[in-house]
């Protein structure tokens, strides 16, 4: 039997519960513990206060994952991701066994694809993204780094979602549209036009 990959999680809030569930469902990883700004437990896992010196954790494993959520801003996840990469940690991508990801699409490191997601052909999903439960990413979509597609989000064919963007739950992006970087689309919205960077569409 293949040995499971040892993994440390950064973040032990509500989003981490969902991340843990996906990780456990893959049967590929062994979560050692979680790091946050408090000490305690999350589920069956210990939570420790995160040290400033990230290299300290290398003695446990060089594989880590960010389990901090993202709604209003990608800044916390993005800065942590950069620090982890600078310290030469490896962030795998995590894909739920209940998700469908086309063999002709690419999922980059540090991204999680959660339960019942469908990613169709010729898509490119960037680093450190959250593709949340029951999202639909249609053919030819490009999603840049540090984005969050929330639960039930629909990104239709050939859309381009630029970096650090949040797409709210049950929202729909009509085919071929461009969403500028660092934008927020509220839940339940339908976007029928291109959206400039730093926009909020509610």
């Amino acid at each position: 039997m293949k040995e499971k990959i040892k993994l440390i999680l950064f973040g032990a809030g509500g989003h981490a519960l969902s991340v843990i569930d996906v990780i456990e469902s893959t049967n590929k990883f062994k979560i050692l513990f979680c790091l946050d700004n408090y000490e305690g437990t999350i589920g069956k896992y210990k939570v420790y206060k995160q040290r400033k010196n990230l290299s300290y954790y290398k003695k446990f494993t060089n594989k880590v994952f960010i389990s901090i959520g993202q709604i209003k801003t990608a800044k916390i996840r993005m800065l942590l991701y950069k620090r982890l990469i600078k310290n030469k940690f490896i962030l795998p991508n995590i894909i739920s066994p209940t998700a469908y990801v086309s063999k002709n699409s690419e999922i980059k490191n540090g991204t999680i694809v959660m339960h019942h997601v469908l990613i169709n052909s010729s898509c490119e999903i960037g680093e450190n993204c959250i593709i949340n439960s029951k999202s639909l990413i249609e053919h030819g979509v490009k999603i840049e780094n540090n984005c969050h597609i929330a639960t039930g989000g629909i990104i239709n064919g050939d859309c381009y979602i630029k970096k650090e963007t949040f797409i709210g739950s049950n929202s729909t992006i009509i085919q071929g549209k461009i969403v500028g970087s660092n934008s927020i689309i509220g839940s339940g919205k339908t976007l029928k036009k291109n959206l400039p960077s730093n926009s909020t569409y509610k």
Side-chain angles (χ1 to χ4, degrees):
M1 186 175 179
K2 190 174 181 180
E3 186 177 355
K4 291 184 179 181
I5 299 166
K6 293 178 181 178
L7 196 65
I8 297 170
L9 300 186
F10 282 77
H15 178 67
L17 291 169
S18 296
V19 171
I20 288 168
D21 194 75
V22 173
I23 290 171
E24 290 180 338
S25 74
T26 69
N27 207 31
K28 294 179 180 178
F29 302 94
K30 178 182 179 181
I31 299 170
L32 299 180
F33 51 83
C34 302
L35 300 171
D36 210 303
N37 60 2
Y38 71 95
E39 291 192 358
T41 59
I42 181 168
K44 63 184 179 183
Y45 300 104
K46 291 278 190 181
V47 180
Y48 299 103
K49 285 188 178 180
Q50 181 185 319
R51 293 170 178 248
K52 290 183 179 179
N53 179 17
L54 295 183
S55 62
Y56 168 82
Y57 300 107
K58 283 278 184 68
K59 66 182 181 181
F60 300 103
T61 180
N62 67 341
K63 309 290 194 308
V64 299
F65 199 78
I66 297 173
S67 48
I68 299 167
Q70 172 186 331
I71 298 179
K72 291 183 179 180
T73 176
K75 186 175 181 180
I76 294 172
R77 285 177 56 90
M78 180 178 64
L79 292 177
L80 178 56
Y81 185 79
K82 286 180 177 178
R83 286 183 64 203
L84 291 168
I85 294 300
K86 185 178 180 180
N87 282 273
K88 302 189 184 305
F89 284 99
I90 296 171
L91 289 89
N93 58 36
I94 308 285
I95 300 175
S96 167
T98 67
Y100 173 79
V101 178
S102 169
K103 64 181 181 181
N104 298 311
S105 289
E106 180 183 6
I107 312 294
K108 294 188 177 178
N109 289 347
T111 286
I112 187 165
V113 178
M114 304 187 86
H115 296 315
H116 301 289
V117 168
L118 193 158
I119 298 177
N120 224 321
S121 183
S122 302
C123 295
E124 182 181 326
I125 313 294
E127 299 175 8
N128 194 33
C129 291
I130 302 168
I131 311 299
N132 221 322
S133 306
K134 294 190 175 182
S135 299
L136 169 60
I137 314 297
E138 259 301 343
H139 62 83
V141 166
K142 181 174 181 180
I143 298 174
E144 290 188 344
N145 299 343
N146 310 305
C147 290
H148 180 184
I149 311 303
T151 50
I154 298 173
I155 314 296
N156 281 295
D158 300 316
C159 286
Y160 185 5
I161 311 300
K162 294 192 177 181
K163 63 183 181 179
E164 298 155 39
T165 286
F166 173 78
I167 308 292
S169 296
N170 296 313
S171 57
T172 301
I173 313 300
I174 296 300
Q175 60 272 11
K177 296 300 176 280
I178 299 171
V179 178
S181 60
N182 194 36
S183 292
I184 297 173
I185 296 177
S187 61
K189 298 299 178 183
T190 299
L191 185 70
K192 299 179 180 180
K193 60 183 180 180
N194 293 340
L195 195 67
S197 296
N198 304 306
S199 296
T200 298
Y201 185 77
K202 291 186 176 180

